[in-house]
């Protein structure tokens, strides 16, 4: 389900969260844009670091957990998921 959520999101800025309505467990959590944290271990050039930090799409913002959405935005997306 995770791969399906990431594919559905594609290159659009946003997030997808899929939850089990029975127990509220998270089935998928996708956010775009994203970055590979392993790149920091391997080493990035200063230009690459600056590009990430200055990207207006904010790749460090984990949208499903940290973004703020207006009230009701979750209820508008629910009917699309159901049918």
């Amino acid at each position: 389900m995770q791969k399906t959520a990431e594919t559905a999101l594609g290159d659009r800025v946003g997030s997808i969260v899929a939850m089990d309505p029975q127990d509220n467990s998270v089935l998928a959590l996708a956010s775009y844009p994203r970055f590979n944290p392993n790149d920091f271990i391997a080493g990035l050039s200063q230009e690459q670091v600056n590009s990430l930090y200055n990207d207006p799409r904010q790749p460090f913002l984990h949208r499903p957990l940290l973004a703020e959405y207006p009230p009701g935005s979750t209820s508008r997306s629910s009917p699309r998921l159901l049918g």
Side-chain angles (χ1 to χ4, degrees):
M1 186 169 288
Q2 179 68 31
K3 190 67 173 169
T4 302
E6 290 176 4
T7 301
L9 190 56
D11 291 339
R12 294 177 297 224
V13 174
S15 65
I16 294 176
V17 179
M19 296 178 69
D20 184 326
Q22 299 297 322
D23 63 7
N24 293 324
S25 62
V26 176
L27 304 174
L29 191 85
S31 182
Y32 189 84
R34 54 191 163 271
F35 66 95
N36 184 350
N38 291 319
D39 290 343
F40 287 89
I41 295 169
L44 294 171
S45 69
Q46 188 61 48
E47 182 179 327
Q48 291 170 313
V49 171
N50 290 342
S51 176
L52 283 170
Y53 281 115
N54 296 321
D55 188 333
R57 300 173 306 161
Q58 299 178 309
F60 294 117
L61 176 62
H62 194 262
R63 285 169 174 77
L65 301 178
L66 301 174
E68 294 182 18
Y69 298 98
S73 63
T74 55
S75 64
R76 284 193 296 269
S77 60
S78 297
R80 283 185 240 146
L81 296 173
L82 297 174

